[in-house]
Amino acid sequence: MTEYPTSQEGPQPVASGGGTDEAGHGKAPIAATEAVRTHAPGAGTGPAAEPGAAAAAAASDVRAARSAAGPAAGLPRPRGAASAEVPAGAGAGPGQNHDNARPRDTADTPEAHEAAARATGAGPPPAAAGGGAAGLQGAGGPGTPAGGAPDATAARREGDRLRFVGAATRRIARGIDLDEIVLGLCRATVPTFSDAILVYLRDPLPVGDERPVGPVVLRLRRTDRLRPIDDLTDISSTIGAGMDLAGAAGATGELDFSQLPLVGPQGDLPAAELCEIRPGGALAEVLRGVRPVFGCSAAAGTALPELLGLDHPLPRGNRAVLAPLRGRRRVIGAAVFLRSPERPAFEQNDLLVAAQLATHTALGIDKAVLYGREAYIADELQRTMLPDSLPQPTGVRLASRYLPAAETARVGGDWYDAIPLPGSRVALVVGDVMGHSMTSAAIMGQLRTTAQTLAQLDLPPAEVLHHLDEQAQRLGTDRMATCMYAVYDPVAHRITIANAGHPPPVLLHLGGRAEVLRVPPGAPIGVGGVDFEAVELDAPAGATLLLYTDGLVESRLRDVWTGIEQLRERLATTAQLTGLDHPPPLEALCDDVLDMLGPGDRDDDIALLAARFDGIAPSDVAYWFLDPEETAPGRARRFARRALTRWGLEELSDSLELLVSEVVTNAVRYAERPVTLRLLRTDVLRCEVGDDSPQLPRQRRARDTDEGGRGLFLVNRLARRWGATRLSSGKVVWFELPLPLSAAGERR
């Protein structure tokens, strides 16, 4: 037998063993062409036909007609992942459309058809030995041209075999995910190499160095087969056969597809879907041996029933090949190649072909599993780093968008956040860590967590950026990021902004005018040794503030200031379309802003945060200062009663007076400076009591003999929500009461 190379890095075929070594991922030969999936007539004249050759010749004619007819014959596409039927001659590749047609490639060239004819020994009349497809016979088999040199014929056939392996491995390598790789194996081998194929994979598939626990289970991932000849009698008129092909098949018994273990609606005896590998069993020994084996061998004769099922018939002779799929670390599955009785049985050289196909498939599956795990980690990292949902603070409405730089790199260093603060305020944060890798995302997560912690301390915006700068320097010398930190006060209708090298925000006014806010630029976070400056600006009701990262306004096609001007013009145009009396819808505004991006503008990931300022009217706010003395709780009750009377909320007087008395009493006990009391009427009634003591109250269960400790218990039972927040100058204890139905309806 002639020995031939199959790959640059993979195992080399051995003449005596007929197998291959353990998995090594090689490259397909450069001169290889696409696999030929049809019978190519006109190559030579075969030997005399054996009994039943008429039916086999009819099958060859059918396959030739199917190859010529293609989509015009109306042949069905292969089925889904569980089972697929492939009409003979249907070369499905990555370019295939939904009409079962694919672009012309190397498999459709006359040279490729001539190579397939030489490999099968087919002549002008379809011979029974040809099998209707490129059977890849060995040297010296049927089909040697009369008077030709056997050595030259054998060399040509070996070359054709090598070209098929190259084309098949290229088709397998095209796949990225698991299903594409398995589908590539099936399309490359049916019907060129076999009439049916079953692919079993471990369930679950191990990832990397993971050591699976529990028994090893194989699950049938996919199966493809040729369509039986009696299902194609409707195209007999297409080829002008003038005969009943189904009847011819039944008369001779040569086209016996019932012996092929099939899965699907047309499979009367479906193969087992799950198979548990018993330690020390025949299947375990075959898979451990790595090399493909014939189905009639002693080892496979016991292993195949264990894999396919005990009650399933097995093909006779060398018409089945069991090929283990071994990845880099372990066996991850098995492939079974089957041939029907109408075509020649597998030869020793076909074991080498099966070994190459199994090796490339297993290595591709290993890569797909690792890639899938990396994509899963990236998605989970992005999902946890960015907020699942935005809060709904009083006096402001929020909307956000995040776009990754590319579908294959779904994580980056951009982030946004909205953090509720005491006094019904809200902190708006947008940042951008340099780069868009997993490292950038990890740094972004640490900076975002730090910003949330600093915001809860109610530090001024400039102080927050200063501490973020220190944190970035602790993370590393090259950890740099830009950040915009703003605090909006709905009662004062003011916003305080500090910037660390970030693009300036854009404010869209109610009348449709859009302006770029003049904010001190500052240095990026991580530079160190710089001061950050904050600026306080008006935030009128109905205005919209847009915070964004540079990916929205900067690309290879435009500089950042050109992009900012385009953004400002886009906002103004959108506001003109919706009218001057009311602002555009917030969600639609975000979508419209992203529509300004062109095909070449997605060089970086994009974070977008929009805030619509509604504010709280002064008539809905009541504010008092109380000296820390014993009369403070009584005065607080009177002030609260007056405010409820003015707002028409007398129904809440009893509950509010009781809770205000308890909270103010606790504040007076520890405060040294005046205590603040503020009532806010929005969709709820909110009460805030502030003092200069940093100690936060904690709810506890009071004993029967205790004189105190029940105030917060009452607050917890009567209020809809309550909480306490530490400030730089003390703390604020707040609670909320729902408005009566009548008052809530009037406010709507």
Side-chain angles (χ1 to χ4, degrees), residues 415 433 443-444 446-447 450 454 464-483 524-528 532:
W415 90 91
V433 178
I443 298 172
M444 175 266 287
Q446 297 181 68
L447 293 180
T450 304
L454 296 172
V464 172
L465 295 184
H466 175 74
H467 289 293
L468 284 177
D469 180 57
E470 293 179 341
Q471 175 66 13
Q473 295 180 64
R474 284 191 290 267
L475 295 177
T477 56
D478 57 345
R479 309 308 190 192
M480 298 180 64
T482 63
C483 183
I525 292 173
V527 173
F532 299 98

PDB file of all heavy atoms in Angstrom, residues 415 433 443-444 446-447 450 454 464-483 524-528 532:
ATOM      1  N   TRP A 415     -18.419  52.023  31.276  1.00  0.00           N
ATOM      2  CA  TRP A 415     -19.484  51.717  32.222  1.00  0.00           C
ATOM      3  C   TRP A 415     -20.294  52.977  32.505  1.00  0.00           C
ATOM      4  O   TRP A 415     -19.873  54.096  32.216  1.00  0.00           O
ATOM      5  CB  TRP A 415     -18.908  51.139  33.515  1.00  0.00           C
ATOM      6  CG  TRP A 415     -18.549  52.117  34.595  1.00  0.00           C
ATOM      7  CD1 TRP A 415     -19.354  52.561  35.606  1.00  0.00           C
ATOM      8  CD2 TRP A 415     -17.290  52.776  34.793  1.00  0.00           C
ATOM      9  NE1 TRP A 415     -18.670  53.435  36.425  1.00  0.00           N
ATOM     10  CE2 TRP A 415     -17.406  53.590  35.946  1.00  0.00           C
ATOM     11  CE3 TRP A 415     -16.073  52.758  34.099  1.00  0.00           C
ATOM     12  CZ2 TRP A 415     -16.361  54.367  36.416  1.00  0.00           C
ATOM     13  CZ3 TRP A 415     -15.026  53.531  34.557  1.00  0.00           C
ATOM     14  CH2 TRP A 415     -15.178  54.321  35.706  1.00  0.00           C
ATOM     15  N   VAL A 433     -12.467  52.886  30.772  1.00  0.00           N
ATOM     16  CA  VAL A 433     -11.108  52.380  30.984  1.00  0.00           C
ATOM     17  C   VAL A 433     -10.476  52.130  29.625  1.00  0.00           C
ATOM     18  O   VAL A 433     -11.130  51.632  28.700  1.00  0.00           O
ATOM     19  CB  VAL A 433     -11.134  51.093  31.819  1.00  0.00           C
ATOM     20  CG1 VAL A 433      -9.726  50.534  32.005  1.00  0.00           C
ATOM     21  CG2 VAL A 433     -11.784  51.356  33.167  1.00  0.00           C
ATOM     22  N   ILE A 443     -10.835  45.933  35.490  1.00  0.00           N
ATOM     23  CA  ILE A 443     -10.484  47.212  36.120  1.00  0.00           C
ATOM     24  C   ILE A 443     -11.717  48.097  36.232  1.00  0.00           C
ATOM     25  O   ILE A 443     -11.939  48.781  37.240  1.00  0.00           O
ATOM     26  CB  ILE A 443      -9.378  47.905  35.313  1.00  0.00           C
ATOM     27  CG1 ILE A 443      -8.116  47.029  35.304  1.00  0.00           C
ATOM     28  CG2 ILE A 443      -9.066  49.280  35.874  1.00  0.00           C
ATOM     29  CD1 ILE A 443      -7.039  47.532  34.388  1.00  0.00           C
ATOM     30  N   MET A 444     -12.540  48.090  35.183  1.00  0.00           N
ATOM     31  CA  MET A 444     -13.770  48.870  35.220  1.00  0.00           C
ATOM     32  C   MET A 444     -14.659  48.437  36.388  1.00  0.00           C
ATOM     33  O   MET A 444     -15.245  49.276  37.080  1.00  0.00           O
ATOM     34  CB  MET A 444     -14.526  48.705  33.907  1.00  0.00           C
ATOM     35  CG  MET A 444     -15.887  49.368  33.879  1.00  0.00           C
ATOM     36  SD  MET A 444     -17.244  48.255  34.324  1.00  0.00           S
ATOM     37  CE  MET A 444     -17.331  47.246  32.860  1.00  0.00           C
ATOM     38  N   GLN A 446     -13.747  47.184  39.244  1.00  0.00           N
ATOM     39  CA  GLN A 446     -13.202  47.675  40.514  1.00  0.00           C
ATOM     40  C   GLN A 446     -13.444  49.175  40.683  1.00  0.00           C
ATOM     41  O   GLN A 446     -13.802  49.638  41.777  1.00  0.00           O
ATOM     42  CB  GLN A 446     -11.708  47.365  40.570  1.00  0.00           C
ATOM     43  CG  GLN A 446     -11.396  45.873  40.544  1.00  0.00           C
ATOM     44  CD  GLN A 446      -9.917  45.593  40.626  1.00  0.00           C
ATOM     45  OE1 GLN A 446      -9.277  45.827  41.640  1.00  0.00           O
ATOM     46  NE2 GLN A 446      -9.346  45.080  39.543  1.00  0.00           N
ATOM     47  N   LEU A 447     -13.261  49.935  39.605  1.00  0.00           N
ATOM     48  CA  LEU A 447     -13.496  51.375  39.707  1.00  0.00           C
ATOM     49  C   LEU A 447     -14.978  51.677  39.925  1.00  0.00           C
ATOM     50  O   LEU A 447     -15.327  52.596  40.675  1.00  0.00           O
ATOM     51  CB  LEU A 447     -12.994  52.073  38.442  1.00  0.00           C
ATOM     52  CG  LEU A 447     -11.477  52.043  38.213  1.00  0.00           C
ATOM     53  CD1 LEU A 447     -11.124  52.762  36.925  1.00  0.00           C
ATOM     54  CD2 LEU A 447     -10.739  52.666  39.397  1.00  0.00           C
ATOM     55  N   THR A 450     -15.749  51.043  43.521  1.00  0.00           N
ATOM     56  CA  THR A 450     -15.196  52.127  44.338  1.00  0.00           C
ATOM     57  C   THR A 450     -16.056  53.376  44.239  1.00  0.00           C
ATOM     58  O   THR A 450     -16.317  54.058  45.246  1.00  0.00           O
ATOM     59  CB  THR A 450     -13.759  52.434  43.899  1.00  0.00           C
ATOM     60  OG1 THR A 450     -12.972  51.242  43.978  1.00  0.00           O
ATOM     61  CG2 THR A 450     -13.145  53.510  44.762  1.00  0.00           C
ATOM     62  N   LEU A 454     -17.888  55.348  47.349  1.00  0.00           N
ATOM     63  CA  LEU A 454     -17.645  56.759  47.627  1.00  0.00           C
ATOM     64  C   LEU A 454     -18.930  57.576  47.532  1.00  0.00           C
ATOM     65  O   LEU A 454     -19.126  58.530  48.296  1.00  0.00           O
ATOM     66  CB  LEU A 454     -16.602  57.301  46.654  1.00  0.00           C
ATOM     67  CG  LEU A 454     -15.195  56.684  46.766  1.00  0.00           C
ATOM     68  CD1 LEU A 454     -14.321  57.160  45.618  1.00  0.00           C
ATOM     69  CD2 LEU A 454     -14.558  57.023  48.110  1.00  0.00           C
ATOM     70  N   VAL A 464     -14.714  62.466  44.989  1.00  0.00           N
ATOM     71  CA  VAL A 464     -14.911  61.116  44.450  1.00  0.00           C
ATOM     72  C   VAL A 464     -13.868  60.815  43.377  1.00  0.00           C
ATOM     73  O   VAL A 464     -13.249  59.743  43.366  1.00  0.00           O
ATOM     74  CB  VAL A 464     -16.338  60.971  43.900  1.00  0.00           C
ATOM     75  CG1 VAL A 464     -16.494  59.651  43.154  1.00  0.00           C
ATOM     76  CG2 VAL A 464     -17.361  61.056  45.025  1.00  0.00           C
ATOM     77  N   LEU A 465     -13.646  61.752  42.465  1.00  0.00           N
ATOM     78  CA  LEU A 465     -12.644  61.532  41.418  1.00  0.00           C
ATOM     79  C   LEU A 465     -11.239  61.438  42.003  1.00  0.00           C
ATOM     80  O   LEU A 465     -10.399  60.671  41.499  1.00  0.00           O
ATOM     81  CB  LEU A 465     -12.716  62.662  40.386  1.00  0.00           C
ATOM     82  CG  LEU A 465     -14.009  62.743  39.569  1.00  0.00           C
ATOM     83  CD1 LEU A 465     -13.900  63.856  38.527  1.00  0.00           C
ATOM     84  CD2 LEU A 465     -14.325  61.416  38.900  1.00  0.00           C
ATOM     85  N   HIS A 466     -10.967  62.192  43.035  1.00  0.00           N
ATOM     86  CA  HIS A 466      -9.648  62.119  43.671  1.00  0.00           C
ATOM     87  C   HIS A 466      -9.398  60.724  44.245  1.00  0.00           C
ATOM     88  O   HIS A 466      -8.319  60.149  44.051  1.00  0.00           O
ATOM     89  CB  HIS A 466      -9.544  63.186  44.757  1.00  0.00           C
ATOM     90  CG  HIS A 466      -8.273  63.110  45.546  1.00  0.00           C
ATOM     91  ND1 HIS A 466      -7.056  63.513  45.039  1.00  0.00           N
ATOM     92  CD2 HIS A 466      -8.022  62.667  46.815  1.00  0.00           C
ATOM     93  CE1 HIS A 466      -6.115  63.321  45.946  1.00  0.00           C
ATOM     94  NE2 HIS A 466      -6.679  62.809  47.034  1.00  0.00           N
ATOM     95  N   HIS A 467     -10.388  60.162  44.915  1.00  0.00           N
ATOM     96  CA  HIS A 467     -10.212  58.823  45.482  1.00  0.00           C
ATOM     97  C   HIS A 467     -10.172  57.752  44.378  1.00  0.00           C
ATOM     98  O   HIS A 467      -9.458  56.751  44.515  1.00  0.00           O
ATOM     99  CB  HIS A 467     -11.343  58.532  46.463  1.00  0.00           C
ATOM    100  CG  HIS A 467     -11.241  59.320  47.735  1.00  0.00           C
ATOM    101  ND1 HIS A 467     -10.224  59.123  48.655  1.00  0.00           N
ATOM    102  CD2 HIS A 467     -12.017  60.314  48.249  1.00  0.00           C
ATOM    103  CE1 HIS A 467     -10.388  59.945  49.688  1.00  0.00           C
ATOM    104  NE2 HIS A 467     -11.473  60.678  49.459  1.00  0.00           N
ATOM    105  N   LEU A 468     -10.914  57.946  43.290  1.00  0.00           N
ATOM    106  CA  LEU A 468     -10.822  57.011  42.166  1.00  0.00           C
ATOM    107  C   LEU A 468      -9.429  57.038  41.544  1.00  0.00           C
ATOM    108  O   LEU A 468      -8.900  56.001  41.127  1.00  0.00           O
ATOM    109  CB  LEU A 468     -11.872  57.367  41.110  1.00  0.00           C
ATOM    110  CG  LEU A 468     -13.316  56.972  41.410  1.00  0.00           C
ATOM    111  CD1 LEU A 468     -14.231  57.474  40.300  1.00  0.00           C
ATOM    112  CD2 LEU A 468     -13.451  55.462  41.549  1.00  0.00           C
ATOM    113  N   ASP A 469      -8.833  58.229  41.489  1.00  0.00           N
ATOM    114  CA  ASP A 469      -7.474  58.348  40.966  1.00  0.00           C
ATOM    115  C   ASP A 469      -6.484  57.573  41.835  1.00  0.00           C
ATOM    116  O   ASP A 469      -5.605  56.871  41.322  1.00  0.00           O
ATOM    117  CB  ASP A 469      -7.098  59.822  40.888  1.00  0.00           C
ATOM    118  CG  ASP A 469      -5.695  60.033  40.361  1.00  0.00           C
ATOM    119  OD1 ASP A 469      -5.407  59.570  39.242  1.00  0.00           O
ATOM    120  OD2 ASP A 469      -4.872  60.631  41.086  1.00  0.00           O
ATOM    121  N   GLU A 470      -6.635  57.661  43.133  1.00  0.00           N
ATOM    122  CA  GLU A 470      -5.760  56.911  44.030  1.00  0.00           C
ATOM    123  C   GLU A 470      -5.971  55.405  43.878  1.00  0.00           C
ATOM    124  O   GLU A 470      -5.011  54.629  43.895  1.00  0.00           O
ATOM    125  CB  GLU A 470      -6.004  57.342  45.471  1.00  0.00           C
ATOM    126  CG  GLU A 470      -5.587  58.769  45.774  1.00  0.00           C
ATOM    127  CD  GLU A 470      -5.868  59.139  47.216  1.00  0.00           C
ATOM    128  OE1 GLU A 470      -6.700  58.445  47.856  1.00  0.00           O
ATOM    129  OE2 GLU A 470      -5.255  60.110  47.722  1.00  0.00           O
ATOM    130  N   GLN A 471      -7.225  54.996  43.721  1.00  0.00           N
ATOM    131  CA  GLN A 471      -7.498  53.573  43.557  1.00  0.00           C
ATOM    132  C   GLN A 471      -6.898  53.046  42.263  1.00  0.00           C
ATOM    133  O   GLN A 471      -6.336  51.942  42.224  1.00  0.00           O
ATOM    134  CB  GLN A 471      -9.014  53.329  43.571  1.00  0.00           C
ATOM    135  CG  GLN A 471      -9.435  51.899  43.294  1.00  0.00           C
ATOM    136  CD  GLN A 471      -9.002  50.946  44.390  1.00  0.00           C
ATOM    137  OE1 GLN A 471      -8.594  51.382  45.472  1.00  0.00           O
ATOM    138  NE2 GLN A 471      -9.075  49.655  44.117  1.00  0.00           N
ATOM    139  N   ALA A 472      -6.985  53.822  41.175  1.00  0.00           N
ATOM    140  CA  ALA A 472      -6.408  53.390  39.904  1.00  0.00           C
ATOM    141  C   ALA A 472      -4.892  53.249  40.000  1.00  0.00           C
ATOM    142  O   ALA A 472      -4.305  52.331  39.410  1.00  0.00           O
ATOM    143  CB  ALA A 472      -6.785  54.379  38.797  1.00  0.00           C
ATOM    144  N   GLN A 473      -4.235  54.114  40.734  1.00  0.00           N
ATOM    145  CA  GLN A 473      -2.791  53.991  40.908  1.00  0.00           C
ATOM    146  C   GLN A 473      -2.434  52.755  41.723  1.00  0.00           C
ATOM    147  O   GLN A 473      -1.395  52.129  41.488  1.00  0.00           O
ATOM    148  CB  GLN A 473      -2.251  55.249  41.579  1.00  0.00           C
ATOM    149  CG  GLN A 473      -2.383  56.519  40.733  1.00  0.00           C
ATOM    150  CD  GLN A 473      -1.831  57.732  41.453  1.00  0.00           C
ATOM    151  OE1 GLN A 473      -0.644  57.819  41.745  1.00  0.00           O
ATOM    152  NE2 GLN A 473      -2.704  58.688  41.766  1.00  0.00           N
ATOM    153  N   ARG A 474      -3.282  52.381  42.661  1.00  0.00           N
ATOM    154  CA  ARG A 474      -3.022  51.157  43.427  1.00  0.00           C
ATOM    155  C   ARG A 474      -3.189  49.908  42.564  1.00  0.00           C
ATOM    156  O   ARG A 474      -2.548  48.882  42.817  1.00  0.00           O
ATOM    157  CB  ARG A 474      -3.949  51.093  44.641  1.00  0.00           C
ATOM    158  CG  ARG A 474      -3.547  52.012  45.780  1.00  0.00           C
ATOM    159  CD  ARG A 474      -4.338  51.716  47.036  1.00  0.00           C
ATOM    160  NE  ARG A 474      -5.738  52.100  46.902  1.00  0.00           N
ATOM    161  CZ  ARG A 474      -6.223  53.267  47.273  1.00  0.00           C
ATOM    162  NH1 ARG A 474      -5.415  54.190  47.792  1.00  0.00           N
ATOM    163  NH2 ARG A 474      -7.504  53.539  47.135  1.00  0.00           N
ATOM    164  N   LEU A 475      -4.042  49.986  41.550  1.00  0.00           N
ATOM    165  CA  LEU A 475      -4.257  48.829  40.684  1.00  0.00           C
ATOM    166  C   LEU A 475      -3.092  48.606  39.738  1.00  0.00           C
ATOM    167  O   LEU A 475      -2.907  47.489  39.243  1.00  0.00           O
ATOM    168  CB  LEU A 475      -5.549  49.011  39.871  1.00  0.00           C
ATOM    169  CG  LEU A 475      -6.845  49.037  40.685  1.00  0.00           C
ATOM    170  CD1 LEU A 475      -8.029  49.300  39.765  1.00  0.00           C
ATOM    171  CD2 LEU A 475      -7.039  47.729  41.438  1.00  0.00           C
ATOM    172  N   GLY A 476      -2.312  49.631  39.436  1.00  0.00           N
ATOM    173  CA  GLY A 476      -1.175  49.481  38.535  1.00  0.00           C
ATOM    174  C   GLY A 476      -0.774  50.818  37.960  1.00  0.00           C
ATOM    175  O   GLY A 476      -1.547  51.788  37.967  1.00  0.00           O
ATOM    176  N   THR A 477       0.437  50.869  37.421  1.00  0.00           N
ATOM    177  CA  THR A 477       0.941  52.141  36.896  1.00  0.00           C
ATOM    178  C   THR A 477       0.296  52.517  35.576  1.00  0.00           C
ATOM    179  O   THR A 477       0.255  53.694  35.229  1.00  0.00           O
ATOM    180  CB  THR A 477       2.465  52.041  36.704  1.00  0.00           C
ATOM    181  OG1 THR A 477       2.767  50.928  35.840  1.00  0.00           O
ATOM    182  CG2 THR A 477       3.160  51.845  38.046  1.00  0.00           C
ATOM    183  N   ASP A 478      -0.193  51.539  34.815  1.00  0.00           N
ATOM    184  CA  ASP A 478      -0.771  51.834  33.510  1.00  0.00           C
ATOM    185  C   ASP A 478      -2.288  51.718  33.512  1.00  0.00           C
ATOM    186  O   ASP A 478      -2.905  51.554  32.467  1.00  0.00           O
ATOM    187  CB  ASP A 478      -0.194  50.909  32.446  1.00  0.00           C
ATOM    188  CG  ASP A 478      -0.396  49.447  32.788  1.00  0.00           C
ATOM    189  OD1 ASP A 478      -0.715  49.154  33.957  1.00  0.00           O
ATOM    190  OD2 ASP A 478      -0.225  48.599  31.891  1.00  0.00           O
ATOM    191  N   ARG A 479      -2.917  51.770  34.673  1.00  0.00           N
ATOM    192  CA  ARG A 479      -4.371  51.666  34.765  1.00  0.00           C
ATOM    193  C   ARG A 479      -4.961  53.070  34.690  1.00  0.00           C
ATOM    194  O   ARG A 479      -5.004  53.797  35.684  1.00  0.00           O
ATOM    195  CB  ARG A 479      -4.802  50.990  36.061  1.00  0.00           C
ATOM    196  CG  ARG A 479      -4.124  49.676  36.363  1.00  0.00           C
ATOM    197  CD  ARG A 479      -4.210  48.708  35.212  1.00  0.00           C
ATOM    198  NE  ARG A 479      -3.755  47.380  35.591  1.00  0.00           N
ATOM    199  CZ  ARG A 479      -3.508  46.409  34.729  1.00  0.00           C
ATOM    200  NH1 ARG A 479      -3.671  46.636  33.439  1.00  0.00           N
ATOM    201  NH2 ARG A 479      -3.104  45.228  35.134  1.00  0.00           N
ATOM    202  N   MET A 480      -5.395  53.455  33.499  1.00  0.00           N
ATOM    203  CA  MET A 480      -5.918  54.800  33.303  1.00  0.00           C
ATOM    204  C   MET A 480      -7.348  54.719  32.787  1.00  0.00           C
ATOM    205  O   MET A 480      -7.730  53.772  32.093  1.00  0.00           O
ATOM    206  CB  MET A 480      -5.043  55.586  32.323  1.00  0.00           C
ATOM    207  CG  MET A 480      -3.613  55.778  32.807  1.00  0.00           C
ATOM    208  SD  MET A 480      -2.627  56.707  31.631  1.00  0.00           S
ATOM    209  CE  MET A 480      -3.487  58.266  31.669  1.00  0.00           C
ATOM    210  N   ALA A 481      -8.126  55.729  33.154  1.00  0.00           N
ATOM    211  CA  ALA A 481      -9.528  55.781  32.745  1.00  0.00           C
ATOM    212  C   ALA A 481      -9.986  57.224  32.771  1.00  0.00           C
ATOM    213  O   ALA A 481      -9.426  58.069  33.472  1.00  0.00           O
ATOM    214  CB  ALA A 481     -10.404  54.929  33.666  1.00  0.00           C
ATOM    215  N   THR A 482     -11.007  57.507  31.985  1.00  0.00           N
ATOM    216  CA  THR A 482     -11.687  58.791  32.051  1.00  0.00           C
ATOM    217  C   THR A 482     -13.019  58.594  32.767  1.00  0.00           C
ATOM    218  O   THR A 482     -13.589  57.496  32.752  1.00  0.00           O
ATOM    219  CB  THR A 482     -11.925  59.365  30.649  1.00  0.00           C
ATOM    220  OG1 THR A 482     -12.784  58.484  29.913  1.00  0.00           O
ATOM    221  CG2 THR A 482     -10.601  59.514  29.905  1.00  0.00           C
ATOM    222  N   CYS A 483     -13.526  59.661  33.385  1.00  0.00           N
ATOM    223  CA  CYS A 483     -14.748  59.524  34.174  1.00  0.00           C
ATOM    224  C   CYS A 483     -15.442  60.880  34.288  1.00  0.00           C
ATOM    225  O   CYS A 483     -14.778  61.920  34.394  1.00  0.00           O
ATOM    226  CB  CYS A 483     -14.443  58.968  35.564  1.00  0.00           C
ATOM    227  SG  CYS A 483     -15.905  58.677  36.596  1.00  0.00           S
ATOM    228  N   PRO A 524      -7.036  62.376  33.208  1.00  0.00           N
ATOM    229  CA  PRO A 524      -7.630  61.052  33.388  1.00  0.00           C
ATOM    230  C   PRO A 524      -7.297  60.452  34.751  1.00  0.00           C
ATOM    231  O   PRO A 524      -6.281  60.780  35.384  1.00  0.00           O
ATOM    232  CB  PRO A 524      -7.016  60.227  32.250  1.00  0.00           C
ATOM    233  CG  PRO A 524      -6.590  61.230  31.230  1.00  0.00           C
ATOM    234  CD  PRO A 524      -6.178  62.443  32.011  1.00  0.00           C
ATOM    235  N   ILE A 525      -8.142  59.577  35.195  1.00  0.00           N
ATOM    236  CA  ILE A 525      -7.902  58.848  36.441  1.00  0.00           C
ATOM    237  C   ILE A 525      -6.698  57.931  36.249  1.00  0.00           C
ATOM    238  O   ILE A 525      -6.568  57.247  35.235  1.00  0.00           O
ATOM    239  CB  ILE A 525      -9.155  58.031  36.818  1.00  0.00           C
ATOM    240  CG1 ILE A 525     -10.291  58.965  37.203  1.00  0.00           C
ATOM    241  CG2 ILE A 525      -8.862  57.055  37.930  1.00  0.00           C
ATOM    242  CD1 ILE A 525     -11.603  58.258  37.417  1.00  0.00           C
ATOM    243  N   GLY A 526      -5.821  57.906  37.225  1.00  0.00           N
ATOM    244  CA  GLY A 526      -4.619  57.091  37.164  1.00  0.00           C
ATOM    245  C   GLY A 526      -3.363  57.866  36.881  1.00  0.00           C
ATOM    246  O   GLY A 526      -2.262  57.325  37.020  1.00  0.00           O
ATOM    247  N   VAL A 527      -3.499  59.128  36.444  1.00  0.00           N
ATOM    248  CA  VAL A 527      -2.312  59.952  36.195  1.00  0.00           C
ATOM    249  C   VAL A 527      -1.621  60.288  37.507  1.00  0.00           C
ATOM    250  O   VAL A 527      -0.401  60.186  37.642  1.00  0.00           O
ATOM    251  CB  VAL A 527      -2.707  61.229  35.428  1.00  0.00           C
ATOM    252  CG1 VAL A 527      -1.510  62.172  35.308  1.00  0.00           C
ATOM    253  CG2 VAL A 527      -3.239  60.874  34.050  1.00  0.00           C
ATOM    254  N   GLY A 528      -2.411  60.685  38.507  1.00  0.00           N
ATOM    255  CA  GLY A 528      -1.853  60.982  39.819  1.00  0.00           C
ATOM    256  C   GLY A 528      -1.310  62.392  39.929  1.00  0.00           C
ATOM    257  O   GLY A 528      -0.803  62.966  38.955  1.00  0.00           O
ATOM    258  N   PHE A 532      -8.892  67.870  40.828  1.00  0.00           N
ATOM    259  CA  PHE A 532     -10.113  67.862  40.025  1.00  0.00           C
ATOM    260  C   PHE A 532     -11.006  69.001  40.486  1.00  0.00           C
ATOM    261  O   PHE A 532     -11.121  69.277  41.677  1.00  0.00           O
ATOM    262  CB  PHE A 532     -10.834  66.518  40.159  1.00  0.00           C
ATOM    263  CG  PHE A 532     -10.017  65.352  39.682  1.00  0.00           C
ATOM    264  CD1 PHE A 532      -9.311  64.568  40.583  1.00  0.00           C
ATOM    265  CD2 PHE A 532      -9.940  65.050  38.337  1.00  0.00           C
ATOM    266  CE1 PHE A 532      -8.553  63.505  40.156  1.00  0.00           C
ATOM    267  CE2 PHE A 532      -9.183  63.979  37.898  1.00  0.00           C
ATOM    268  CZ  PHE A 532      -8.485  63.201  38.805  1.00  0.00           C
TER     269      PHE A 532
END
